[in-house]
Amino acid sequence: MKMTFYGHFVAGEDQESIQPLLRHNRAFGVGAILDYGVEEDLSPEEAEHKEMESCTSAAERDGSGTNKRDKQYQAHRAFGDRRSGVISARTYFYANESKCDSHMETFLRCIEASGRVSDDGFIAIKLTALGRPQFLLQFSEVLTKWRRFFHQMAAEQGQAGLAAMDTKLEVAALQESVAKMGIASKAEIEDWFTAETLGVSGTVDLLDWGSLIDSRTKLSKHLVVPNAQTGQLEPLLSRFTEEEELQMTRMLQRMDVLAKKATEVGVRLMVDAEQTYFQPAISRLTLEMQRKFNVEKPLIFNTYQCYLKDAYDNVTLGVELARRECWCFGAKLVRGAYLAQERARAAEIGYEDPINPTYEATNAMYHRCLDYVLEELKHNAKAKVMVASHNEDTVRFTLRRMEELCLHPADHQVYFGQLLGMCDQISFPLGEWGPPWCDGVRFWACTSWPICPFAGQAGYPVYKYVPYGPVMEVLPYLSRRALENSSLMKGARRERQLLWLELLRRLRTGNLFRRPA
């Protein structure tokens, strides 16, 4: 196994055995995003049982809370095994708090291992590894309902269909609408919208609106929203038992421990995106960490899934929040890993498909989000973005826009990321510094990229997503990667063609052995 599939996609068994690969890649200008790839080898039935247990609240188990939850944010047995239809993303299932502590310790060791190799590494973490997913489900529902209520108010003010940052509610009209609904008295509502909390513009945007359910405002316990189906007012937040509140607190504490360790060692944390019924909470908790730890530079990177219909709104809101609160924006842009599962779940359960309708629409969304972030980077030297893509057209688009915006690779504002064992014809040409006479212009201009003889002299910050772990414990992850045969073989044929062309070029030039500059 170590000489075949495992050796191709996995760096090694532990922190020590992966060091030679990390040093080798580093010599060619390619860094690492460490990811401990171990998964429990659960049967579908076992995974389903664990998921249903960990995503169901005490109120739902005793029958008092089930019908009050949106079906999108309820656990559904048919989709209990979150690994189904997912190839490249690792999956955690909640067992108990002790297991979450064990995952945290593993992440801490990853941070230490990354810090030993370089002072600019990343590690990837998943929040479902750090706590009970029930909290993520319920908090995601809260955030979605509150955002939906904002857009309902916007429609009443004739602003339906506008982009998130273009939608601004008139405070006076909003106060009147909320009072008519019986959500709060006029005096209480006036206290919500003060100059101290929302400024003096006379309007409320989605960021202002979101701040009202921030725990710091102490309003969240009293907020209710109208149910679109019944017209009845319902509490925004479900009640948690004492044990559920403790579990929620422990998740936040584990995140804090990891961020403090990363700060100490000089490693950046990349919070992976997950399913849409978890993602609003994951993004919000990541933003809270960014507020605290991204003061001087981006230490925490949020992940934005561009196959989502609301991806552009999510990215623009994140950028604007960082501007207003004066912390450093850090993001990873991906297309997304859960497309088939998300589509099937939405169709089966009966809610709107959150995914863009076509692959072309997702590409357009990715480039739109990326272009917005690159424009921000032009004016904000502390903001950073990871372009996590195997798509050559997307990489070319990024390089072209960087040249147009005068974003130089030496500034290390734009990173590129690919999976270990895939698309080396992108990673290594981007990553290696060449002779001092090569300033990258020939790399940008070369239409034959990625087989350009100057491509290896570009010097862009490039990272490989590096899974590692014992052979038998990484097999569940590898077995799903094996299902990717069609796309994998297509990529392999492309790489084989490029290797032959490169070999012929080296033979013609008499430069058979390539060494890092």
Side-chain angles (χ1 to χ4, degrees), residues 236-284:
L236 190 62
L237 286 174
S238 303
R239 290 185 177 180
F240 291 98
T241 66
E242 186 175 343
E243 177 57 28
E244 288 169 345
E245 287 190 2
L246 283 173
Q247 291 169 350
M248 177 177 66
T249 300
R250 291 188 197 114
M251 176 188 281
L252 301 176
Q253 289 171 340
R254 292 180 189 111
M255 293 166 61
D256 195 63
V257 168
L258 294 174
K260 286 177 178 175
K261 182 66 173 179
T263 303
E264 175 190 325
V265 177
V267 172
R268 290 157 295 183
L269 295 185
M270 194 164 278
V271 182
D272 282 344
E274 303 192 46
Q275 284 87 351
T276 51
Y277 44 91
F278 294 140
Q279 193 54 39
I282 291 171
S283 289
R284 182 59 177 260

Side-chain angles (χ1 to χ4, degrees), residues 79 81 124 126 140 181 194 316 375 485 507:
F79 298 92
D81 186 355
K126 284 189 182 292
S140 291
M181 291 178 188
T194 64
T316 56
E375 290 280 356
N485 273 338
L507 288 171

Side-chain angles (χ1 to χ4, degrees), residues 24 54 57 113 219 314 389 414 426 438 512:
H24 173 268
S54 62
S57 68
L219 285 172
N314 294 335
S389 177
V414 182
I426 294 177
C438 180
L512 186 59

Side-chain angles (χ1 to χ4, degrees), residues 77-101:
R77 192 169 297 280
F79 298 92
D81 186 355
R82 285 184 279 113
R83 301 167 302 181
S84 177
V86 177
I87 294 168
S88 57
R90 207 167 11 84
T91 306
Y92 290 95
F93 292 95
Y94 180 84
N96 50 51
E97 293 298 293
S98 176
K99 190 69 173 177
C100 293
D101 287 334

Side-chain angles (χ1 to χ4, degrees), residues 30-79:
V30 177
I33 306 167
L34 290 188
D35 179 25
Y36 192 62
V38 169
E39 291 184 10
E40 288 184 276
D41 190 10
L42 301 174
S43 70
E45 293 75 22
E46 289 171 324
E48 177 188 298
H49 175 74
K50 283 195 171 190
E51 185 74 354
M52 295 303 294
E53 284 291 311
S54 62
C55 288
T56 307
S57 68
E60 288 171 325
R61 283 193 293 273
D62 66 23
S64 62
T66 304
N67 294 330
K68 295 179 181 178
R69 297 267 299 279
D70 279 3
K71 51 191 173 184
Q72 182 176 356
Y73 298 101
Q74 292 180 30
H76 292 269
R77 192 169 297 280
F79 298 92

